[in-house]
Amino acid sequence: MEISISAYKYVGYTLLKHIIDIGTEVKFVTTIKDYDDPYFYKIKEICHDNNIPIHIDLDINSDQFRTLLLSNNIDLHFMLWFPTIVKKKSIKSVNKGFVNLHPSLLPYNRGMHPWYWSIVDKTPAGVTIHFIDEKIDNGPIIAQKEVKITTTDTGETLYDKLTDEIIKLFIKTFGSIINNQYTIVNKIGNQTFHLAKELNENSNIDLNKVYKAEDLINIIRARTFTSGKNAYFYKNGIKYNIKLEISRDE
């Protein structure tokens, strides 16, 4: 089985390292130039140390990328936390398919920021490994696992749970994928989808709007991260950011 990998950030590096450590041959790796991310350098280093060709900022939908796939007779290309929508021509350039990781319990929360929408929409959270088709986060499911949301979870704690679980699920499933020993999982539940722009729009707390208390709490906690942007409101032309911490009274 000839494989290639697109790896990004902590999850991408961790899974790339696992694949290399268990002795699987990787034909080439692509990654994204991100000088602020320490895992950019780690991905470069591990490829260099193992003599794996690495291509930085190579467009996955370019002729150059498709030539790489075809010239290496790639069977499976793994998208390990890689934030690019793959188009039909590239999908058709491998023998078996592109395998993607998505931090939601598909078909719930296709698209962007699923951890936020699981809390706000009260939809099941989870992680999924699936084949890519021409629709976003829509292909056949190889494996998935539900992740419980607790009352004290924020967007950040749920995101951390999801990243931990996708790493565990991939490590558990990888051997069956490359040995063609998996069974496609039936999709259960209602399909939901969110665009990137919806996150900021929904995080704007309107001071003149009536909210159900639980819904308001969920909007704020779902957007609560230690760093980065949070829920917000405007008063007298000034923008105020809101974070929320919930603890259980024992």
Side-chain angles (χ1 to χ4, degrees):
M1 184 75 70
E2 306 291 359
I3 74 167
S4 52
I5 293 171
S6 291
Y8 186 53
K9 291 194 175 291
Y10 165 70
V11 173
Y13 167 74
T14 301
L15 296 180
L16 173 62
K17 184 177 185 301
H18 170 74
I19 290 169
I20 293 170
D21 286 348
I22 63 174
T24 307
E25 181 183 2
V26 178
K27 287 295 185 177
F28 68 86
V29 169
T30 74
T31 192
I32 297 170
K33 185 188 297 179
D34 187 347
Y35 293 133
D36 295 326
D37 179 18
Y39 293 99
F40 167 63
Y41 302 97
K42 289 179 178 289
I43 290 169
K44 286 177 60 180
E45 181 180 10
I46 199 172
C47 288
H48 178 267
D49 290 347
N50 289 276
N51 297 314
I52 300 171
I54 182 168
H55 303 269
I56 298 170
D57 283 346
L58 176 60
D59 182 357
I60 278 183
N61 295 300
S62 67
D63 289 338
Q64 183 182 353
F65 178 74
R66 289 191 289 272
T67 297
L68 266 178
L69 295 174
L70 293 168
S71 63
N72 284 281
N73 194 29
I74 298 298
D75 296 302
L76 289 169
H77 184 82
F78 290 89
M79 302 283 284
L80 304 182
W81 225 240
F82 208 78
T84 302
I85 297 172
V86 187
K87 297 181 181 178
K88 182 177 180 179
K89 283 186 177 180
S90 291
I91 296 172
K92 297 295 184 182
S93 298
V94 299
N95 298 325
K96 290 186 63 64
F98 278 64
V99 176
N100 186 51
L101 314 181
H102 187 66
S104 85
L105 195 71
L106 294 175
Y108 292 104
N109 296 316
R110 294 170 52 226
M112 297 297 292
H113 310 114
W115 50 90
Y116 176 87
W117 295 107
S118 284
I119 294 174
V120 170
D121 291 342
K122 302 176 185 176
T123 50
V127 294
T128 302
I129 302 171
H130 67 99
F131 282 108
I132 290 175
D133 64 12
E134 293 176 60
K135 295 181 180 180
I136 298 172
D137 303 324
N138 189 68
I141 294 171
I142 298 168
Q144 60 183 179
K145 182 177 180 181
E146 186 168 359
V147 174
K148 183 180 179 181
I149 303 174
T150 69
T151 303
T152 58
D153 270 322
T154 63
E156 183 170 42
T157 61
L158 180 56
Y159 177 86
D160 289 343
K161 287 182 183 179
L162 295 173
T163 56
D164 287 345
E165 288 300 332
I166 197 65
I167 289 171
K168 293 176 185 176
L169 184 63
F170 184 85
I171 289 173
K172 179 181 178 181
T173 309
F174 178 69
S176 66
I177 297 174
I178 63 172
N179 290 307
N180 201 32
Q181 295 176 340
Y182 56 86
T183 301
I184 295 300
V185 178
N186 292 327
K187 295 180 180 179
I188 300 174
N190 298 319
Q191 179 173 265
T192 60
F193 179 86
H194 291 284
L195 297 170
K197 67 179 182 178
E198 294 179 61
L199 176 68
N200 191 58
E201 293 170 354
N202 200 71
S203 301
N204 184 359
I205 308 300
D206 184 346
L207 297 183
N208 296 311
K209 180 179 176 180
V210 175
Y211 293 85
K212 182 180 176 182
E214 183 180 16
D215 293 340
L216 181 58
I217 288 170
N218 285 343
I219 290 171
I220 299 171
R221 74 180 176 117
R223 196 72 199 273
T224 294
F225 278 74
T226 302
S227 59
K229 296 181 179 180
N230 305 110
Y232 61 95
F233 65 90
Y234 285 95
K235 186 172 184 178
N236 299 325
I238 300 172
K239 183 179 181 181
Y240 296 88
N241 297 301
I242 318 171
K243 293 182 181 180
L244 184 64
E245 180 180 340
I246 304 173
S247 60
R248 182 174 175 175
D249 188 351
E250 301 294 344

